[in-house]
Amino acid sequence: MARTHVLALDQGTTSSRAILFDAEGNVRGVAQKEFEQSYPQPGWVEHDPLDLWSSQAGVAAEVLSRAGLGADDLAAVGITNQRETTVLWDRRTLQPVANAIVWQDRRTAPEVERLRAAGAEGLVRERTGLLLDPYFSATKLAWLLDNVDGARRRAERGELAFGTVDAWLTARLTGEHVTDVSNASRTLLYDVHRGCWDEELLELFRVPRALLPEVVPSSGVVTEVAYEPLAGVPLAALAGDQQAATFGQACYAPGQAKNTYGTGCFLVLNSGREAVASPSRLLTTVLWQLGEGPVEYALEGSIFMAGAVVQWLRDGLGIIRSAPEVEQLALSVPDSGGVTFVPAMTGLGAPHWDPYARGTVVGLTRGTTAAHLARAALEGIALQVADVVDAMSRDSGVPLAELRVDGGAARNDLLMQLQADLLGVSVVRPQITETTALGAAYLAGLAVGVWPDQATIGALWREDRRFEPRLAEALRGELRERWAAAVERARGWAAPTGEA
Ligand code: ADP
């Protein structure tokens, strides 16, 4: 049988998935396995790297055997992964020297504060396009080097290897020590303008150069997989999850953007060959590099509470029994009855960046019902997205043409309609919403010729439904103004006395 299928390995924060695609971009099989989350102390989040590897290898074998296919049927395999999570392993034995520190982990907050006080943020922002924050890999890596017995000494002797999860899985699959440019751009160690590891940043974060992987394109053959069920298949793509999703959404032109509505929201705007600096404190990040082509960039904005606010309506308030029920409840009223809900339960992300903001509901009257609250919650998700889109348009100078959407909460038609209404642009949902895995498959297939070019892949993108803005301009303005006033009331609420 011809090598016509492409396998995407999607190593996420809570589960490892393997999805098999055919040459038309159709899903031919899915296997998924959750793995253990470890919380050794408040604010700490760890994964056992061997769990990441064994769950990922397991689902890869499972999806193939269930489809009755083998390595010979695969044209390529691509990896997409939870970003920033930091793994340190022994180069020779491929054994991890400690648990991986997950992107959510805040243990390095004091070190970040120290670096900020020392005036390091300007350099970091200028070189990496990111913020000085524990979220990214560099301080996590330094923590491991300082706290795992003998690690720093061994790292300096060249015995250890650092990588994000793409690099870790690649090492296990092929024995190579590489990462792609999209993952490298999330470490705080990579100069996104010059396209190389940065000596000054390595010094700042006290990271020995010998630890670092070689940086390769996001789409391109790394080498053949050595691991048995996939032996001989070219590993042909590595990409961070949000970048892969943007590729799966075929946002190939500058000005195109996608938004993923999951627990939170991740907005990514393609800015083309230009790394746009963001006065609004969005992240400037590498989108991808296709083969020997130029590096392309994006602006990224994240929102902490999106689908999670629907979970809160279900579990915290108990006004719905399941997440999809929120739609019927919200549709039972024509509007939110003057209620505005700022879902800042865990602070506000882009573009407000206020860790002290807290969830705020304003405009309650005697007539307010659960339905009004549900509707205000959905509006609150869409209004947060509108704030980020505004910041993106302002910083990039390109107005948004349309928004492509995916993620669990994008199934909610009312939310998508509210989003179109509040943005004043079309919101478009594709038929395949597994865009992260799809993107990894496309990136891999592109490298080996399953698809000759991006135009061919773009033509496979199929619309499920398009939501056109229906709200009058004046009404949109009024809702956005009321929202801005409510955000002001939410801000700084939990600040220690004297700092609000
Ligand atoms: P993640 O990848 O972050 O776990 P998913 O993409 O699986 O998220 O989406 C799950 C989130 O979407 C949950 O927070 C859930 O509350 C929300 N959700 C699922 N279905 C709906 C729906 N029909 N309307 C609104 N929110 C929904």
Side-chain angles (χ1 to χ4, degrees):
M1 198 170 154
R3 291 180 174 266
T4 50
H5 289 70
V6 181
L7 181 64
L9 305 180
D10 179 359
Q11 205 305 301
T13 308
T14 56
S15 73
S16 296
R17 287 141 53 83
I19 304 190
L20 193 61
F21 293 93
D22 66 19
E24 281 71 53
N26 298 310
V27 175
R28 290 294 170 200
V30 182
Q32 176 164 1
K33 189 166 175 18
E34 291 196 7
F35 51 82
E36 197 181 315
Q37 309 284 319
S38 161
Y39 309 105
Q41 291 191 30
W44 293 29
V45 188
E46 297 182 356
H47 292 155
D48 180 341
L50 292 174
D51 280 353
L52 302 183
W53 161 244
S54 62
S55 59
Q56 193 63 70
V59 290
E62 183 185 335
V63 76
L64 282 179
S65 82
R66 275 207 259 134
L69 299 180
D72 289 349
D73 302 302
L74 295 180
V77 53
I79 295 176
T80 179
N81 56 288
Q82 53 165 319
R83 302 176 301 175
E84 298 100 9
T85 296
T86 300
V87 191
L88 190 60
W89 66 92
D90 183 308
R91 269 182 196 284
R92 197 175 50 79
T93 63
L94 295 183
Q95 288 301 312
V97 302
N99 270 348
I101 304 186
V102 179
W103 57 272
Q104 297 153 321
D105 191 294
R106 309 300 294 178
R107 79 183 66 179
T108 59
E111 174 63 4
V112 163
E113 277 315 315
R114 194 189 66 74
L115 289 166
R116 184 173 291 123
E121 181 140 40
L123 175 76
V124 167
R125 263 187 87 59
E126 182 195 309
R127 299 276 163 89
T128 70
L130 307 173
L131 303 165
L132 191 51
D133 194 277
Y135 176 28
F136 306 106
S137 313
T139 56
K140 299 181 194 299
L141 174 55
W143 191 94
L144 288 174
L145 293 173
D146 290 335
N147 289 278
V148 175
D149 222 14
R152 186 168 286 284
R153 193 170 24 84
R154 296 190 64 206
E156 277 158 6
R157 286 206 303 251
E159 293 171 18
L160 302 184
F162 149 75
T164 40
V165 170
D166 57 313
W168 164 243
L169 295 178
T170 300
R172 281 274 164 172
L173 284 168
T174 71
E176 300 285 326
H177 187 210
V178 300
T179 191
D180 94 295
V181 61
S182 74
N183 277 293
S185 82
R186 313 295 293 191
T187 57
L188 281 190
L189 300 171
Y190 191 76
D191 182 329
V192 294
H193 308 286
R194 290 187 302 139
C196 57
W197 300 118
D198 185 278
E199 293 298 338
E200 270 181 87
L201 293 172
L202 293 179
E203 203 169 303
L204 180 71
F205 293 107
R206 299 176 298 113
V207 170
R209 201 165 204 304
L211 278 171
L212 300 177
E214 182 196 342
V215 181
V216 298
S218 322
S219 173
V221 175
V222 176
T223 185
E224 285 183 1
V225 176
Y227 176 73
E228 188 38 55
L230 302 174
V233 181
L235 173 61
L238 306 176
D241 51 11
Q242 298 308 320
Q243 285 89 339
T246 310
F247 202 83
Q249 284 275 29
C251 293
Y252 300 147
Q256 285 190 306
K258 71 92 197 170
N259 187 25
T260 302
Y261 297 80
T263 306
C265 275
F266 279 101
L267 275 119
V268 178
L269 171 79
N270 183 329
S271 68
R273 295 184 192 185
E274 197 189 346
V276 177
S278 169
S280 311
R281 294 173 71 78
L282 302 170
L283 304 179
T284 303
T285 200
V286 169
L287 194 48
W288 49 61
Q289 182 187 12
L290 309 178
E292 295 311 308
V295 169
E296 294 173 69
Y297 297 92
L299 281 176
E300 177 177 314
S302 28
I303 290 164
F304 303 143
M305 288 280 282
V309 73
V310 176
Q311 286 171 342
W312 180 77
L313 295 179
R314 184 192 62 195
D315 306 336
L317 273 194
I319 62 172
I320 48 173
R321 275 165 308 175
S322 72
E325 260 183 42
V326 73
E327 189 166 1
Q328 280 317 311
L329 182 61
L331 275 170
S332 69
V333 287
D335 55 44
S336 67
V339 175
T340 304
F341 185 165
V342 184
M345 280 77 154
T346 55
L348 284 170
H352 307 290
W353 295 112
D354 184 348
Y356 300 124
R358 284 298 176 270
T360 302
V361 181
V362 290
L364 295 175
T365 66
R366 290 287 297 272
T368 301
T369 64
H372 293 115
L373 212 53
R375 196 161 179 123
L378 294 181
E379 285 178 0
I381 299 172
L383 283 156
Q384 292 183 97
V385 172
D387 282 351
V388 174
V389 167
D390 273 3
M392 283 182 163
S393 303
R394 212 169 35 237
D395 290 351
S396 68
V398 189
L400 188 70
E402 63 174 32
L403 186 66
R404 294 188 167 185
V405 298
D406 51 57
R411 286 194 292 265
N412 186 315
D413 290 345
L414 174 61
L415 174 60
M416 296 301 101
Q417 184 58 51
L418 290 168
Q419 190 68 78
D421 288 343
L422 289 164
L423 284 175
V425 302
S426 313
V427 167
V428 200
R429 187 171 60 199
Q431 284 173 8
I432 296 187
T433 51
E434 296 284 4
T435 53
T436 306
L438 184 61
Y442 281 158
L443 286 163
L446 184 64
V448 297
V450 173
W451 299 286
D453 49 35
Q454 279 168 280
T456 309
I457 295 173
L460 296 174
W461 188 91
R462 293 262 182 285
E463 185 174 308
D464 164 46
R465 189 159 166 197
R466 177 175 288 267
F467 300 85
E468 299 293 355
R470 292 196 300 232
L471 201 64
E473 191 81 36
L475 201 49
R476 177 181 318 131
E478 208 177 289
L479 284 171
R480 301 274 323 257
E481 264 174 44
R482 209 165 59 187
W483 165 256
V487 167
E488 279 314 308
R489 283 167 171 75
R491 292 190 70 142
W493 185 258
T497 319
E499 281 186 34

